[in-house]
Structure formats: C-alpha cells, structure tokens
Amino acid sequence: MLRTTYLHSGWEFAEAGWQKGGDEYLASPGWLSAQVPGHVHVDLVKHGIIADPFSGMNELGCQWIDERDWSYRTTFEWRPDPENPRRILHFEGLDTVCEVFLNDAKIADHDNMFLPLEADVTESLVAGTNTIRIDFQSAVRVGRERREAYFKEQGLPLDTERFSERPFIRKAQYMSGWDWGPRLVSCGVWKPVKLVECQARIADVKVQAKAVAGSKFRLDIESSWSEGSDYIVLHEIIADGQLVDRFHDDGGCEIHIPARIPQAPIVAHVVTSLFDGTVEEGELLDEVVTPIPTSSVQLLQEADEYGESFEFVLNGKKIWARGANWIPDHSFPSTVTRAQYRDRLEKAKDMGFNMLRVWGGGLYESDDFYELCDELGILVWQDFPFGCSYYPDTGAWLDEVRKEAEFHVKRLRNHPCLALWCGNNENEEMNYSKWGRSASHPPRYYGENFYNDVLPDAVARLDPKTSYIRTSPIGNAPVDDPVAVKQQGPNSGGYGDQHCWDVWHGRGDWKHYAESTGRFSSEYGFGSSCSLATWDKVLDEWAEDYPFSMDDAVLKWHDKTRKGWETFVGYTKLHYPESKMLSDWVYYSQLNQRDALRLGVEHYRRSAFCRGSLIWQLNDCWPVQSWAILDSDGNYKALAYELRRLYADHLLSIERHNDAVKVHAINDDGEDVSDSVSLDAYELSTGKHLGQIGTASFELGGDDRKVVLEASVKGLSVPDTLLVASWGENLAWQLLAEPKNARFAPPTPIEATLHYDGFLVLSVSQPVVDLMVTDTNDVQFMVDNFATVPQAAKFALRYEGDGEGLKARSLAGWHEVRVTKSPI
C-alpha cells in the first residue's frame, strides 16, 4: 500500500548566502533550528533574533526580514521499497518564490503559495541519507521586479494607482498589510512536507449528489488515479459513522442519509479504495476520504419590486443568511491548528451563524476549516484570493491562475458547506470608483480576464452545481439598462450584494445604517478595541492599570483602520462617556460597536428587501483594534454576545423616531407564529415600572417580518427611562437617552453565588445596563455577558472559574462583587 513519510523534523534555516561571507553577513548566526510547517518570523522569534512582532511597535523593526532571502534544509534517511516503485516529494504549501534541491541537485521551481508542489524523485533519492534544501527569494523584491517589467511591457507608468508589488506574487495578500493587519510578508514551508511512495495513487474523486425524495440521494461518483488502468475501485458510503452502502467501480447508487441539522448540510463521506486485483484478494494501493455534497445551494437573482434579489436557496428553501466575513486567523497561517479553527467556528455557530464568507485577500482555507463547516452546518461563500488591487492578467498569468483555480475548485467542490464562488473582493468597485488618485488608474480593468473568463470557466467545467459571481460587491443593474448601469455602480442598493462602508468611512455615525437599501449586506462593520487580556500581550504594563491617551503611540499603532485615531475615538464619544483608562476604552468602544451592529442587523432583518447580513469581520489575525467580533485570542467582544439575539430565528426590534416607537417582529424559523408582544417602560435609577406602553397580538409566517406594535413615549423622561419589548423569551431593550446622558443610580454591590454545575448566579438590587462581568484569571464568559435587567433580579451566567478574580461594571460604574459558593 501507498506509504507516506512526513518530513517535519531536523529542519534548519539561515539567511541565504551567509556562507559566501561579506560585510552584510558578519552578524549571521548560520544555520539554526526551524519549525516546519512554519514561517521565518516564527523561527526568528524563537531564537530571540527579533522580538514578537505583535507586541508594542515591534512590527516596524521586522521589515528588513522581507527584503532578505532565506534558506531551509533538512536531512532524512530512506531505503527503497520494491512494492512502491514510484517516489514523490510532496510540498503541500511553500510560501512562496523558491527553488527546491534534493541532494544539491535542483528538482523544482515554485511560485504559488496556494498550490502544492510535487517532484518525482524516483531516480533522485539515494539509499541512506538525503538532503532537502529550499531557497526562498524575497517576495517583496521579486514582486517589485515583476511589476517594473510588466509595467514596461504594458506601457504603464510606475506610479499607477492600486497596482503595487503584491499582486505580482500569488500569495495571501493580507500578509502585505491591511486596514486591520500588520505588514509581515514572511516566507517559509507553511504546510506539511511528505515523501509518498506508491505503485499508483488516487488523483481525484468527484461526487455528485442529488436529492430524489426526502433524505434519499442519488450519488454519482467518478474517480481517477495517477497511472495504470488495471485497477479495481471500491466506494463505501459512510454517514454518522455507519456504513450505508458500497459498490465497485465508478457509477451511482441511491442511498438514505438522515439529516442531523435541520436546514443545514447533511454530513456524509465516501471512502474510495484502489486495489491491484480483486477487492477480496488484491493489494490495497491507496485510500482517500471525500465529503459528499448532500446540500443543494443556489444563489437566486430575480427581478422584483426593489430591483433584483440576491438570496440563497438551501435544499429548495430560501434562507436569510446570517454570519460574517472570515479572514486568516493569524498573520502566520502555518500556526493555526484544527483546535483553533474549531474554537472560532463553534463560537460562530453559537452566535447563530449559518454562513461565512472566506474573504478574497486571504487564503483558500485548510481542509480542517471546510470539514468543520460541514459538521457545524455553516455555509461558505468562497472568494478567489484577489483583493483590492489590479492584477496582471495576460500571458503566463492566465495559465497560473487557471491551474490554481482548477486545483481548488476540485478540492472544495464536494463539501456540502460550499455555497458560492466569487471572483474577487472589491476590485470592480475599486476600478469603477477610481479609489485614491483617480487620474493615476490604469486605462483598463487589469484582472478582468480572470474574473470574466478563467475563473467562471473553471467553475462551470468542474463544479457546475455551485453559483459564481465575478466580484463582490456586484450591485450592478441589468446590462440591458445602460442608464441604470451608469448610475448604479457595483456598490449601490437595489441589485446584488453591498459593502456598506460609507457609514464607517464617511457618514460620521452608525445611525446611518438605517438608510441602507442593500439587498444583501456582505460587508459592513464598526470598529472597537480588543479585550484587556489581549492588550496584556501588547503592552509593557498591565492593561487594567493602563491610562488611555490619544497620544499613546502603541495604542495608535494597533489601530490599522486608516480612519484616523481621533475619528475612531470620536465615533464612540458621540454616544459614550470619555475614556480615562484603557479599561474604559475597551468597554465603551465595544458597546458602541455592539450598538452600531445592533442597528445594522435589525435594519436589514426587519426590511422586506434584504436577505443577508455578513458582518465585517468575525476574527482577527493579530492583537488590534478592528471591526472583528472576536479578538485575535478568540475573546468575545460585546457584539458577540448580542449576536446570539440578533441572529436568532425569532427577533424583536425597537425602532424609535422622537416620541414614536415601532416594535418589529421577525420570524425566520420556517414555521408560522401566533403570539403577543408588549412594550414596557422602567425608571433607570430605581427599576420602577412606569407602565405598559402597549401590547398587541400578531401572526407571522415562517419567513415574515412586520411591525407588530406602535406606541408613543411622549411624557417619559428621556434620561431616566429604559424600554423593554417582550415576545415570550425574546426581548429587546433601548435607552431613551444616549448612554453618556442617561441617569443611573450609583452602582451597588452584586451578590454572586458560584454553583458547581458551571453557573454563576448574580443578584442585583437595582437595574443594571450592560453589566460586564470579567475574571482577572483570564476565564472567559463564553456565552452570557453584558446583561441588562430593568429591575432588581437574579440571573445566571455560564461560568467555569473559581470566582476568585471576578469583577463587574455596568454603565453606572464598577460594582463590588461579593462571592459565595453554594454547597455541593
């Protein structure tokens, strides 16, 4: 049978050329131990050559690394196995521009971070000790050289806008820096390395699944192998760990696969085995496991009264997409583990997500990512990795991108989570709006040959079941209406998806989300600070005791939003008190982000025209102040806790204009509802019930939303009033005043009883608004936090700590926490 030997031990790295001598190499330490998979920055930190680039402003001191060339090498022992006569060195991922040597003989060039490299070394291996060396060239330098040559060929001036060196290297674009991430371009052997010895290998398995009745599917399977033809193939269908069916050779069958998650992909897979001879007596040569695409997902775009729809249909039913954008979870993607992916994705599921968009400035994600999305029932909108730039799209570039697209379409097409292919992120909008120096843009839309030809051709040939759009946003009016097209642009409302960034970048306050007419909001967000625990890894002092200053260089450095630090802080000061300490800034900025996205999500979900909300962004790749819902350590921000309500199937929303109040009810669970709603007012300082402002009965269809109650708050004291709307267990609340102007009673002590079943019961003697409970021992409140209760009450939070480090603050201030432990 095929034999695989992973080659991850004994690696060393050095600056390339150090052995030649010269003044520039006088301080070189020579060969040092290296981590594979890994990146050169990780190795340099390990040896104390550079400081952690995430800490302080150390990113600045690391820029020299990306101008240098680096070499990696290892040795391994090998003895020939006559039963496996073919030998292949397989590099799953090399980042990026490099030459590969075996026993000092060059065996390959490589130039694409997104593609594996295979070299047939059948005749090159020697019995005994073998040496692999990989010489990486500076991606920054090579990108500049290619840019200059391409511009000369195309007749473009060197100051051409939005066409830097980064699009000339096929690697993750975010590593060159973004408005939430550092510039740490790096290089390295970023994915596994293995020696594969075989007689023959399975090259590809294509599975087509069509629902024929309920959970019965018609499967059609096609497989291919590397060489030879006289082999037998066995396919075994596995669902929930149970063998469902098995058959020889390619073909089809009908199987029953029970659904585990309603309205989500059904998880099953096929084990394909390759035999030399009969299954019973022949030799097993290779075996691969392939997911079965049991979901049917289409993008529906139909003319309607608002323009043209943009919505997803899952297994024949329209869904309201709820989720966020996913960026690479670390600046050095080699460090992200399956456990880390699971942590982030399970949190997304807890927040009510049914979709993630893998953003086009990042990566085709790992197999772990897509397998976990299959398991959790999270659909994936997959961008091809082109973002916010022009790209060279002639000559050899067409062949390279075609090869890349074909590889990944074949790799991902069988996953039931896959919902959409998208050609790029914002490139068409960039070209249409002429970002930056408009007169310095190139004369044509460079990259369009990929998005209009190469990529859709790969999807149509290899994954015709999955929809493709050429760009996001793609809000153009129909092409047969040239006047509308000219007026519309890719990012206007009415058609396609929308990136609603004019609120953060131009309108001056999050209240303008209510004006969006986006049919599907695939990017929108509002910035906030990371958690205090994450700041502890950045600062030289404890974050809890750190003063907040507008002039603090480190705080400003860890804001990459390009909005301007003063504007960023000013957005929060519109609604919340001024921050004196960093702990204030963390609390107030996260609440402001929560309020912004509360309005945004509620506006979209209560509208008749919008069918999806993908917030920018779920995660962060380093400690930073950004639009993320989870910070780089996976800590929940205030918004994360609120999304469990905002993304629930049933949602209440309070809309207020002066004294007039409307209560909206949203039902996206597919079942009709008949119920009642009430709206009550409470005094902030005492909890006194000021009266029931209104109550009403209502009926909602299974995919319906409407105003269910209208009332007036005339006569209520604005600074002193809290509104609470109730629909069974579904609640919504709103202060009549801005938080900074609301009048709260001084904070009183909170009694906290620690239960040994994982709950903390809090008893408050007065109303509390946005009660944030933290644990200085770095124990997260994973599900429940930022509670608001209108009167004295007891309520429980899920908690796994010992209660020793508990602290609490609300909008009234810091509360003393008195902890007792319940008897076992």
Side-chain angles (χ1 to χ4, degrees), residues 86-91 94 100-102 105-110 116-125 132 194-196 201:
R86 189 177 177 210
R87 293 104 192 194
I88 300 102
L89 264 180
H90 179 96
F91 300 88
L94 296 172
V100 182
F101 298 82
L102 177 65
K106 182 176 174 180
I107 59 172
D109 293 295
H110 192 64
L117 170 66
E118 287 199 341
D120 191 323
V121 294
T122 302
E123 305 301 327
S124 306
L125 287 173
I132 300 172
K194 58 191 177 185
L195 175 64
V196 178
R201 288 183 300 161

Side-chain angles (χ1 to χ4, degrees), residues 11 14-16 38 40 68-73 93-101 110 133-139 141-142 186-190:
W11 283 89
E15 186 178 349
V40 67
R68 307 291 178 90
D69 298 337
W70 300 91
S71 293
Y72 280 73
R73 73 180 186 185
L94 296 172
D95 180 14
T96 295
V97 185
C98 61
E99 298 175 312
V100 182
F101 298 82
H110 192 64
R133 190 182 84 247
I134 308 170
D135 292 343
F136 290 98
Q137 299 178 54
S138 162
R141 188 188 68 248
V142 172
S186 205
C187 70
V189 186
W190 80 286

Side-chain angles (χ1 to χ4, degrees), residues 41-261:
H41 286 75
V42 176
D43 293 324
L44 291 168
V45 170
K46 172 186 172 183
H47 288 285
I49 297 172
I50 62 171
D52 180 357
F54 289 3
S55 181
M57 299 172 66
N58 294 339
E59 174 200 348
L60 275 173
C62 296
Q63 299 308 302
W64 62 272
I65 299 165
D66 299 324
E67 298 288 346
R68 307 291 178 90
D69 298 337
W70 300 91
S71 293
Y72 280 73
R73 73 180 186 185
T74 191
T75 61
F76 64 96
E77 298 297 316
W78 176 79
R79 292 288 182 273
D81 175 5
E83 294 187 0
N84 289 303
R86 189 177 177 210
R87 293 104 192 194
I88 300 102
L89 264 180
H90 179 96
F91 300 88
E92 191 172 325
L94 296 172
D95 180 14
T96 295
V97 185
C98 61
E99 298 175 312
V100 182
F101 298 82
L102 177 65
N103 300 325
D104 293 325
K106 182 176 174 180
I107 59 172
D109 293 295
H110 192 64
D111 194 15
N112 193 320
M113 181 181 182
F114 305 127
L115 284 177
L117 170 66
E118 287 199 341
D120 191 323
V121 294
T122 302
E123 305 301 327
S124 306
L125 287 173
V126 297
T129 302
N130 292 263
T131 300
I132 300 172
R133 190 182 84 247
I134 308 170
D135 292 343
F136 290 98
Q137 299 178 54
S138 162
V140 174
R141 188 188 68 248
V142 172
R144 285 197 297 257
E145 293 169 354
R146 291 177 179 173
R147 178 181 188 267
E148 185 174 351
Y150 192 78
F151 279 21
K152 184 176 180 180
E153 172 195 309
Q154 296 289 313
L156 298 174
L158 289 178
D159 67 346
T160 298
E161 182 76 7
R162 304 290 163 170
F163 213 168
S164 69
E165 87 285 344
R166 73 168 167 85
F168 290 87
I169 304 292
R170 288 307 296 148
K171 69 171 281 157
Q173 303 284 273
Y174 80 104
M175 298 175 80
S176 295
W178 222 269
D179 54 5
W180 36 259
R183 182 176 172 85
L184 298 166
V185 180
S186 205
C187 70
V189 186
W190 80 286
K191 284 191 172 185
V193 181
K194 58 191 177 185
L195 175 64
V196 178
E197 300 172 79
C198 64
Q199 177 180 332
R201 288 183 300 161
I202 297 172
D204 182 44
V205 177
K206 180 181 180 181
V207 184
Q208 294 175 294
K210 182 178 181 180
V212 292
S215 57
K216 181 180 286 188
F217 291 84
R218 167 73 190 182
L219 295 188
D220 289 288
I221 303 176
E222 301 174 24
S223 59
S224 61
W225 45 89
S226 59
E227 55 191 51
S229 58
D230 296 328
Y231 299 118
I232 299 296
V233 176
L234 174 67
H235 301 294
E236 295 180 300
I237 314 302
I238 310 294
D240 284 337
Q242 302 297 315
L243 178 64
V244 175
D245 201 353
R246 66 201 305 255
F247 56 92
H248 298 148
D249 299 322
D250 292 350
C253 69
E254 288 194 0
I255 61 171
H256 175 79
I257 306 176
R260 293 190 300 109
I261 306 173

